[in-house]
Structures are given as C-alpha cells and as structure tokens.
Amino acid sequence: MDLNQENLVEIRRDFHRFPELGFQEKVTKDKITSYLKGLGLDVYCGAGIVGVLSIGNGDKVIGLRADMDALPIHETNNHNYISKNAGVMHACGHDGHMTMLLGAAHKLATSANFNGTIVFIFQPNEENGLGAKAMLDDGLLENFPIQEIYGIHNLPGVATGELLTRSGLICSSESLFEIIIKGMGGHSSMPQLGRETISIGAELIQAIQTIISRKMASGSGAVISVTEFITDGTRNVLPGETILKGDVRTRHPDDRQKIETYLNQISRGLASAHDVDVEVTFETEFIETINHINPTETVFKTARDQGYGFTNCEPMSFSEDFAHFSNIVPGCFFLLGNGTEGLHSKPLHSSNYDFNDALLPIGTNFWASLAENCLSAKEY
Ligand SMILES: [Zn+2]
Ligand SMILES: [Zn+2]
C-alpha cells in the first residue's frame, strides 16, 4: 500500500487488523519501514524504527514519537477490520498514533517547509513501560541528537481533536509492589497450632489504605490499589503463604519513595505483631511524565495558530512510557480527544474501544504544523 493523505484510514485499519504485543511488533515494524523508505527517509531498525528527514541547513533536531504495540485483549467489536490476531487488540489507539505520524512524515517530506531535522520515532512496548528505555539503551540519543521531543495520545470521551496538555507533570508514575507473608499453614480446625497468613493479608490490605488517607498530603494525587490476593490454602487448609500484589500511582518521585517506605514499615510491623515473616518488593515501571515549559508552549502556540480547541488540563492518573524520553530531552506529551460518542468514547483498554478515523487528518496536520513551528523555515 502507498502512503498518502487519501489512504490513511486504510493504513490505520490494516494496523488494527494485525495487532502485535510489546516487543513482538515484527510485521508492524516491517510495514513502517517500508512506508518511510517509500518517502525517501533514512530508516534505522533496532529496538524500534527511526526515520530521519532533513531539509535545509538548520542544525535543530526534533523527535516526534508514536507507539506501536497492542494489548492482550480479545476484541468484541464487529466492524469489518476487527483484529485477526486472536486475543490481541489495538485497544489503546496505537494503530492511530502510528498512522498519524506516518501521515505527518508524508506531509512534511512532500511540502519540505522547514529547516532542520525531524526524527520520526516508532517505539515498541509502551504498555509495559519497557519500549522507550529499550530505544534509549539502543543508542537513540547518541545516534540522533534530538533537542526536543513530542508525543501524542488519543483520549476517548473528549471532543474529537480537542487538545489537552499542561506544563509540568502530565502523567503519573506507576510502581508495582508484591508482599509475601510467610507463616505456617495447618488444619483449618486448629489455627492455634500454626501461624496462618490469610487473616494477616486481610489486615494488611486495610492498613495499606491508611497510607493515602493518613500519610500523604491531601491532593497528592497518589493512588494505591491492592489488585491480587493469592494464598496456598485450600478448602480445609489454612495458608502458610499469602501474597498481595498491587499498583501505585504518584505525581512526584518523593511520594513514590514515601509510599515504598510506608509499605515496608506497615508490612514489617504487622508481620512482627503476628510472628510471621514478610518480604516486600517495589518496582517502578513508569516514572512521572514531565512536560517542559518551552516545548509545551510550542504545542499550545501551534494549537492556537491552527484553530484547535485546547485545554490546559489537570494531570492524568495514567502512566506513559514517553516519560523516559522527556526525562532526558525537553519534551511535551499531549492528548487529542478521540470523540464523545460510540466506540470512540469507550475507555482505552476496553474490548469495544476504537480509534476515531476522523482524528487521522487532524493529528497528521497537527504533527506537521508543530514540526514546522519548531523548525521554522525563515532562516533557511
Ligand atoms: Zn495503553
Ligand atoms: Zn496507549
């Protein structure tokens, strides 16, 4: 298929039909490589795909980033481009993100109305927070000295094409914790002979709730959710081991550290009170996504110039792998409304969500205008 402004819908639906999970984006990478080569870009294939477009003698280099991976979700839609890869679905709209960035590459390569270098970044495995880091480890910034970086995500439930972003924190961090309580199981009729762990697990879940309500400042935006409760007990056997797993979101690295400390303190205190052992692990998958002032102003300026509706929004409670890029290079991550009706309003990661094709030309044009604003052709 050729890449042009007329067949973006077809390209998006083709990505949608053949979704691939994080770090398995083989067919997707092949397609992107072929589209970018077709435009005459220099293309580099490693952990992700990088396409480079240089015009004029300007030495400014910007990065525009899209994500490529899908989710392990069984699609329940019944449109004619439903996923053909069983149990895998583009339920976060990365099919649309790739297409908008390809559309922008086409537009910018055709109009050549800028002076400098644009690095088109297609990253793998955003959903598990590993893809941006893989590209950085692969030498992305050493090989392509990007001075500013930008990323788009669609947002269901917001008017199509409405732009939302803010300077400072835009997305929360995500950390995963696991607490293993080890005692001694035994006969369910004689709990006094062992040190069962299920009731301690229940007590611990309640105690963890006090971290947000009693230990954090009001309005911190931090969230702790215990999401799994696993024991080795059975019908008439008290468990000797109970495992709690969960997820923590914060808006500030200090809060993340505080929560890790309290999780340890409360778990050890309760374990000691009940004479059992405990192990706590806490791993941060996604750091906080911080938008820098100048790139954010360029995004707002582009929105204003191009007549887009835009909102200086509140921070989001979800997390974004883009954080790893903007932690090193000044950047701005922004959201574009996916629409307020039908499949376009369904939450991200739901089996009946769909990316809004009406957003393709809007996002494509926004990318192109943003790049032209960053790399103004005036000094050319
Ligand atoms: Zn997602
Ligand atoms: Zn996503």
Side-chain angles (χ1 to χ4, degrees):
M1 204 181 322
D2 281 344
L3 167 61
N4 57 54
Q5 301 303 310
E6 279 69 54
N7 63 6
L8 294 179
V9 171
E10 228 179 301
I11 290 173
R12 201 283 288 184
R13 293 182 177 188
D14 177 59
F15 282 134
H16 191 89
R17 268 187 206 104
F18 303 101
E20 295 172 297
L21 294 174
F23 287 149
Q24 296 171 31
E25 304 95 337
K26 190 185 171 325
V27 175
T28 308
K29 282 164 91 173
D30 287 349
K31 285 177 192 165
I32 290 170
T33 302
S34 128
Y35 288 134
L36 295 176
K37 282 192 172 161
L39 296 176
L41 269 64
D42 293 326
V43 183
Y44 304 86
C45 185
I49 302 287
V50 176
V52 179
L53 177 62
S54 284
I55 302 282
N57 55 6
D59 50 15
K60 187 164 175 189
V61 184
I62 61 163
L64 310 182
R65 171 273 205 175
D67 33 19
M68 302 187 287
D69 55 323
L71 286 149
I73 291 176
H74 177 78
E75 181 163 14
T76 56
N77 286 320
N78 57 8
H79 45 58
N80 62 10
Y81 50 91
I82 189 169
S83 168
K84 288 191 191 299
N85 295 346
V88 184
M89 177 188 174
H90 268 300
C92 203
H94 299 182
D95 48 349
H97 301 167
M98 290 184 274
T99 310
M100 291 190 294
L101 193 54
L102 287 168
H106 173 265
K107 212 170 166 97
L108 288 157
T110 312
S111 64
N113 184 29
F114 63 93
N115 183 21
T117 298
I118 304 172
V119 180
F120 296 91
I121 302 163
F122 293 85
Q123 80 148 80
N125 207 349
E126 189 285 324
E127 296 293 353
N128 298 306
L130 299 171
K133 208 162 171 304
M135 290 191 82
L136 291 169
D137 291 346
D138 214 18
L140 178 76
L141 298 179
E142 289 75 23
N143 297 327
F144 311 97
I146 296 160
Q147 294 151 18
E148 271 170 28
I149 189 160
Y150 297 87
I152 290 183
H153 207 293
N154 76 96
L155 189 62
V158 172
T160 310
E162 168 92 13
L163 185 146
L164 289 85
T165 193
R166 72 193 304 278
S167 193
L169 182 123
I170 178 75
C171 297
S172 302
S173 67
E174 184 190 21
S175 307
L176 301 178
F177 65 86
E178 184 174 297
I179 302 171
I180 306 176
I181 309 164
K182 288 180 180 163
M184 196 173 75
H187 202 289
S188 60
S189 71
M190 291 172 277
Q192 76 281 11
L193 297 181
R195 284 172 294 126
E196 61 85 8
T197 53
I198 194 166
S199 54
I200 304 167
E203 201 178 338
L204 190 50
I205 292 174
Q206 293 303 319
I208 286 171
Q209 305 310 312
T210 63
I211 298 177
I212 300 293
S213 63
R214 303 289 87 178
K215 304 288 187 194
M216 310 301 288
S218 71
S220 72
V223 182
I224 305 180
S225 298
V226 177
T227 54
E228 293 174 71
F229 191 124
I230 306 155
T231 78
D232 61 354
T234 58
R235 197 183 70 95
N236 53 6
V237 178
L238 285 163
E241 183 172 286
T242 290
I243 302 174
L244 303 181
K245 293 187 189 185
D247 173 289
V248 172
R249 309 285 170 140
T250 65
R251 294 181 179 178
H252 200 283
D254 290 351
D255 288 349
R256 210 189 320 142
Q257 268 167 5
K258 252 192 220 168
I259 289 174
E260 181 177 4
T261 302
Y262 285 126
L263 272 175
N264 270 284
Q265 198 172 300
I266 292 173
S267 303
R268 290 184 202 297
L270 262 180
S272 157
H274 292 288
D275 193 23
V276 294
D277 295 319
V278 70
E279 280 170 29
V280 182
T281 54
F282 185 93
E283 277 170 21
T284 299
E285 304 276 311
F286 293 81
I287 57 175
E288 296 80 7
T289 311
I290 309 293
N291 279 343
H292 299 247
I293 294 171
N294 290 341
T296 308
E297 276 178 3
T298 311
V299 167
F300 279 135
K301 179 185 174 338
T302 306
R304 232 181 341 258
D305 291 354
Q306 300 296 315
Y308 283 70
F310 61 91
T311 306
N312 191 5
C313 64
E314 290 296 308
M316 303 286 154
S317 61
F318 54 78
S319 310
E320 239 303 328
D321 198 12
F322 182 81
H324 292 286
F325 295 129
S326 63
N327 192 36
I328 304 176
V329 176
C332 178
F333 181 74
F334 54 101
L335 301 139
L336 287 180
N338 195 52
T340 54
E341 281 168 28
L343 309 182
H344 307 143
S345 66
K346 303 293 179 201
L348 296 169
H349 296 198
S350 52
S351 63
N352 57 352
Y353 157 87
D354 195 25
F355 184 87
N356 185 353
D357 285 327
L359 196 53
L360 293 172
I362 296 172
T364 294
N365 290 336
F366 193 86
W367 267 140
S369 305
L370 176 66
E372 287 169 359
N373 253 341
C374 293
L375 305 171
S376 164
K378 278 179 204 135
E379 329 134 39
Y380 190 8

